[in-house]
Amino acid sequence: MTAQLACLTSDVATGSALRVELKGPSGPVEVAVVRDSGGDLHAISDVCSHGQVSLSDGEVEGTTIECWLHGSTFELRSGAPLSLPATAPVPVYPLTLDGDRVLVDVDTTLNS
């Protein structure tokens, strides 16, 4: 596991998402670090599987994030699409905390 510093816990408010770019095996990887309504942090691909737009610009509700462009929602733990028009999941990455540091491993996905 090759975890990289994505941000600090204080950078992501409850019910919001932060876009970060990390180094992947084949180049840059856009990641949304999301703090759900319960305060838990998640790391998912920041690219909607339907519209190829930034998910971090969408609305977080409970443990889901909604794509701002077409309204597809994704479950933060599994990356599964919960509403159309998206039908494909988005990658979910392992996230660990080291004090207030948020570390994400983009070399591995939790839903592959």
Side-chain angles (χ1 to χ4, degrees):
M1 196 159 137
T2 314
Q4 301 173 57
L5 176 63
C7 61
L8 301 177
T9 56
S10 59
D11 294 334
V12 188
T14 299
S16 71
L18 175 70
R19 180 190 178 280
V20 297
E21 190 173 282
L22 300 175
K23 293 179 184 178
S26 302
V29 177
E30 297 173 0
V31 175
V33 178
V34 184
R35 189 181 295 268
D36 67 27
S37 298
D40 293 329
L41 288 165
H42 307 271
I44 65 169
S45 173
D46 190 47
V47 181
C48 177
S49 61
H50 169 261
Q52 302 298 305
V53 297
S54 178
L55 287 176
S56 59
D57 291 332
E59 187 173 322
V60 177
E61 184 174 321
T63 60
T64 65
I65 191 164
E66 180 181 21
C67 176
W68 63 270
L69 186 59
H70 294 114
S72 293
T73 56
F74 297 90
E75 211 290 318
L76 294 171
R77 289 181 215 120
S78 68
L82 301 176
S83 62
L84 296 172
T87 58
V90 293
V92 175
Y93 304 106
L95 180 149
T96 56
L97 298 177
D98 179 18
D100 65 343
R101 297 167 15 117
V102 178
L103 307 173
V104 175
D105 177 8
V106 294
D107 295 340
T108 306
T109 58
L110 296 174
N111 58 342
S112 55

